[in-house]
Amino acid sequence: MPSGSPSTQELEAYRIEADRFIAELDEEYYLHYAGLKDRLELEEIYNRHSALTDLEQVQAIGAAVDGDRRTRELWHFGCEGYLGELTRELAEKLAALEAELEVTVDGETIPFRMLRPTMANEPDRGRREKLDRALWEVTEEHLNPLHLDGVDIVRSALPGLGASSYLDLYERFGFRLRELAAQCEAFLADTERLYEETLDRATQELLGLSLDEVQRWDLQRMIRSPQWDQGFPADKMVPALKATLADLGIDLDSQANVHLDIEQRPQKSPRAFCSPIEVPDRVMLVIQPIGGADDWRAFFHEAGHTEHYANTSRDLAMEEKRLGDVAVTEGWAMLMQHITDEPAWLTRKLDFPRPDEYAAEGMMWLLFFVRRYCAKLVYELEFHTSDDISGMPKRYVELLGDALKLEPSPSNYLADMDAGFYVSSYLRSWALESQLRESLRERFGNEWFARREAGSLLRELWAEGQKPTADELLKEIAGAELEMSAVHDRVREALR
C-alpha cells in the first residue's frame, strides 16, 4: 500500500486529468458507434493517462476517502479505470468482432449488430427462430470466450483493490445492492399475477399465442410493436422531440452545445445513444432513425440524457458533472422516454389513434423490463459471489425465465451483465421516474410536459448535474424515499 494519502493539490491534478480521460473515451466511443471509425481504439487513450489507473495511485485515493463523497467518487472512478485498463484489449476485440461479424440466414448475410433489429422486423416466426439461433451461436463461439477472460482478469485484480469480491468492492463505494435486491424480490412477487395476466392477454391478441407458447424470438417482434408503426414514422421523430422540448420552453435548434447526429451510416449503431463528450459544452445525441414505437422510446430516452448533460452547470466539480449516481441521469432519461406513453402527448403531438390502448401497452413493457432487471440484479449478485461460475448459465435461465415466463438463451449469461452493477442504476431510475412524474403531475397537472413552468423546474434540476444522489433528488423534489413499489403503483394504475 502507498505510504501516504494524496495532497489536495494532487487530488485536484488527478481530477483534471480524469476529466480529460473521460472526454477522450466518450469521443472515441462516439466515433466508433456512430459509424465514423471502423475500430474502437482505446490503447492510446489509456496510455496517455496511465497515471490515472496506476494501482498505487488508486490505492492512495482509496485510503484518503474517509467519508468524503467527492474523494470516494474519484476512488470509484480510479478503481473502474484500473479494471478497465486491465480489460481494455478485450473490450477492443469485442467491439471489433461485433462490428465485423456477419451471419448468413436463408442466403441473406446479416451484420451481427443488425441481428436483433432484423429479428424484430421479421414477421415470419420460423425465420425469427433461425435468426435467434444464429445470434446465440455466434455469441457462444466468438464473444463468450472473451467475456470469460474478462471475468477472470477482474476477479484476479480485486484483492489489489482491497475487495474480496466484485460485490464487496461496490458495497464499499456505497452501493446498497442487497437492500435493492430485497425490494426487487418483493416487486417480482407482488407483480407476478398482474404480469402474467397482462402479457398473456397481449400475446394472444398480437401473436395468437398463449404465454405458455411464446418464445424469446417472439418477444423481439412484440417489443418492436409493428402494429403501431404508422403512428411512429421515422421522419417525425426529430420534429416531435423539438416540439416537445419547445412546450417546455427549450429550443433544441438554439442549443449550440447539443449536436444531433441523424445521418445514415452502415456501421452506425441501430440504437440511439448520447455521448456527453464535454459537460455541458459538447453533447452528442445520435440516432439512425428506423421508426416504430421502440425506436421512438430509445430516441426520447437518449434525449433525456442529452438535456440533462447539456443543462448541467459548468460551475460544478468534475465529479458532480461526470461521475456521481448515474441513476439520476437515467431517471431524467426515463422521464423523457415515458412522455411518449402519455395519451395526452400522443394526441397533441401525433394525432394518435387509440392512445389509451397504446399507453397501456407501454406500461406492460415497463413492467416487463423492470421484472427483467429485478431478476438480473439477483442473478448478478449470485454471479459475483460465486466461486464457481460453471453453473451460472443454468441459473441465468432459471432466474430470468421465472421472472419473464420465457426462457432466455443460456449463452447470454455473460453479455447480459454490464460492468459496475449498472443494472441497479436502471432499477433505481425507474423508481425515481415514477415518483418524479407523480410529483410533476401534482404540481403542474397531468399534462405537465406541456407546461413551461415544468420546463423551468426541470432546467433548474438538470443544472445540479450528478451532484445529488437519486435519493437526495427525490427527497428535494417530493420529500419521499426511493421505492421500487412506486413502479408497481404506476403500472397498476395504468393497467387497471
Side-chain angles (χ1 to χ4, degrees):
M1 292 291 290
S3 56
S5 297
S7 66
T8 301
Q9 291 79 8
E10 288 170 330
L11 280 175
E12 183 59 26
Y14 187 89
R15 182 176 291 117
I16 291 169
E17 187 171 356
D19 182 70
R20 293 302 83 214
F21 174 71
I22 296 170
E24 291 171 26
L25 278 183
D26 279 348
E27 181 154 28
E28 181 66 18
Y29 279 105
Y30 161 68
L31 292 171
H32 175 67
Y33 287 103
L36 294 165
K37 280 188 70 175
D38 290 339
R39 301 188 69 84
L40 181 68
E41 298 174 307
L42 304 177
E43 181 177 6
E44 185 177 333
I45 299 171
Y46 274 91
N47 288 343
R48 191 159 51 245
H49 301 284
S50 59
L52 291 173
T53 57
D54 175 76
L55 180 57
E56 286 198 5
Q57 175 85 287
V58 175
Q59 289 171 333
I61 294 173
V65 171
D66 194 28
D68 179 69
R69 181 186 291 181
R70 286 177 59 187
T71 307
R72 187 176 68 185
E73 289 296 341
L74 286 181
W75 177 52
H76 181 180
F77 161 81
C79 289
E80 290 193 336
Y82 170 66
L83 297 175
E85 165 61 18
L86 294 177
T87 56
R88 171 191 51 76
E89 187 176 346
L90 291 174
E92 290 176 334
K93 288 180 179 178
L94 281 164
L97 278 171
E98 288 182 1
E100 295 166 0
L101 284 171
E102 296 178 331
V103 302
T104 301
V105 177
D106 293 336
E108 179 186 0
T109 300
I110 304 166
F112 176 81
R113 285 180 178 165
M114 290 304 295
L115 276 170
R116 282 187 174 89
T118 302
M119 198 185 313
N121 283 304
E122 177 54 60
D124 183 81
R125 193 183 186 207
R127 190 161 188 272
R128 287 201 301 271
E129 182 177 1
K130 292 179 184 178
L131 292 164
D132 178 84
R133 188 183 307 120
L135 170 66
W136 299 119
E137 286 175 355
V138 168
T139 298
E140 190 65 49
E141 180 181 355
H142 296 283
L143 304 181
N144 278 355
L146 296 177
H147 285 303
L148 280 171
D149 287 346
V151 171
D152 290 340
I153 290 170
V154 168
R155 289 192 167 200
S156 297
L158 289 170
L161 298 174
S164 60
S165 69
Y166 200 64
L167 172 59
D168 177 43
L169 180 65
Y170 277 81
E171 287 181 328
R172 291 171 185 238
F173 296 150
F175 284 45
R176 303 201 304 270
L177 295 167
R178 297 176 203 265
E179 177 184 317
L180 180 60
Q183 287 196 41
C184 287
E185 289 175 330
F187 182 90
L188 287 169
D190 292 344
T191 61
E192 177 113 355
R193 182 176 177 183
L194 175 64
Y195 172 78
E196 288 185 341
E197 291 176 350
T198 304
L199 192 61
D200 182 63
R201 192 160 52 244
T203 59
Q204 293 195 52
E205 290 176 0
L206 299 175
L207 300 174
L209 301 169
S210 69
L211 183 55
D212 291 338
E213 298 172 299
V214 172
Q215 302 293 332
R216 59 179 175 267
W217 48 86
D218 298 316
L219 258 291
Q220 291 288 336
R221 181 67 172 167
M222 281 187 69
I223 293 170
R224 163 74 174 74
S225 301
Q227 70 274 19
W228 301 109
D229 279 357
Q230 189 172 356
F232 293 103
D235 62 351
K236 288 189 177 181
M237 291 173 69
V238 174
L241 174 64
K242 289 181 178 180
T244 301
L245 292 174
D247 284 348
L248 292 166
I250 301 166
D251 182 359
L252 182 61
D253 288 330
S254 71
Q255 289 183 291
N257 55 341
V258 173
H259 303 266
L260 191 58
D261 181 343
I262 59 173
E263 292 182 22
Q264 299 280 341
R265 302 185 191 101
Q267 291 302 321
K268 193 175 190 181
S269 170
R271 292 289 286 184
F273 67 94
C274 167
S275 284
I277 296 169
E278 301 289 353
V279 181
D281 297 317
R282 186 178 172 220
V283 184
M284 317 300 292
L285 175 56
V286 187
I287 179 70
Q288 183 152 270
I290 299 170
D294 192 44
D295 204 31
W296 277 60
R297 292 185 193 111
F299 181 50
F300 272 70
H301 181 99
E302 298 305 325
H305 284 304
T306 299
E307 289 301 325
H308 177 215
Y309 288 121
N311 284 279
T312 292
S313 170
R314 60 175 49 86
D315 297 329
L316 294 175
M318 185 279 288
E319 301 93 318
E320 297 163 347
K321 290 190 288 187
R322 291 199 181 270
L323 306 178
D325 182 1
V326 292
V328 172
T329 191
E330 289 296 349
W332 293 127
M334 293 294 182
L335 186 72
M336 186 65 71
Q337 172 186 330
H338 286 298
I339 287 177
T340 66
D341 290 323
E342 295 282 0
W345 181 88
L346 292 162
T347 301
R348 290 167 63 100
K349 291 290 174 282
L350 296 174
D351 191 22
F352 199 86
R354 311 192 314 278
D356 292 311
E357 182 181 332
Y358 175 79
E361 185 176 312
M363 289 301 98
M364 178 189 73
W365 290 123
L366 174 62
L367 180 58
F368 171 88
F369 281 108
V370 176
R371 285 181 62 87
R372 186 179 193 282
Y373 275 68
C374 283
K376 257 168 58 72
L377 177 61
V378 174
Y379 166 73
E380 290 186 24
L381 294 187
E382 288 191 22
F383 183 97
H384 288 300
T385 52
S386 174
D387 294 330
D388 178 9
I389 63 170
S390 62
M392 294 314 294
K394 179 181 178 182
R395 190 67 179 133
Y396 174 79
V397 170
E398 289 172 350
L399 287 169
L400 272 81
D402 184 59
L404 301 179
K405 313 309 174 189
L406 295 157
E407 184 175 302
S409 170
S411 297
N412 202 27
Y413 81 110
L414 295 168
D416 200 18
M417 293 191 296
D418 295 316
F421 286 107
Y422 209 94
V423 57
S424 67
S425 299
Y426 280 126
L427 286 163
R428 293 172 62 244
S429 76
W430 275 311
L432 176 62
E433 187 272 340
S434 292
Q435 292 170 273
L436 281 176
R437 172 182 174 271
E438 190 58 32
S439 178
L440 289 168
R441 289 173 70 193
E442 290 175 359
R443 192 175 305 191
F444 301 110
N446 287 341
E447 296 188 27
W448 62 267
F449 45 83
R451 298 283 299 277
R452 286 184 171 242
E453 300 94 327
S456 296
L457 175 60
L458 291 179
R459 287 195 297 276
E460 288 178 22
L461 296 168
W462 288 335
E464 297 182 20
Q466 296 284 104
K467 184 176 181 179
T469 65
D471 304 79
E472 291 167 344
L473 181 64
L474 186 61
K475 180 75 75 173
E476 174 188 350
I477 298 169
E481 300 292 329
L482 199 67
E483 295 177 331
M484 289 301 302
S485 59
V487 183
H488 184 196
D489 292 341
R490 179 182 181 183
V491 170
R492 186 173 53 206
E493 176 193 348
L495 296 178
R496 185 161 30 210

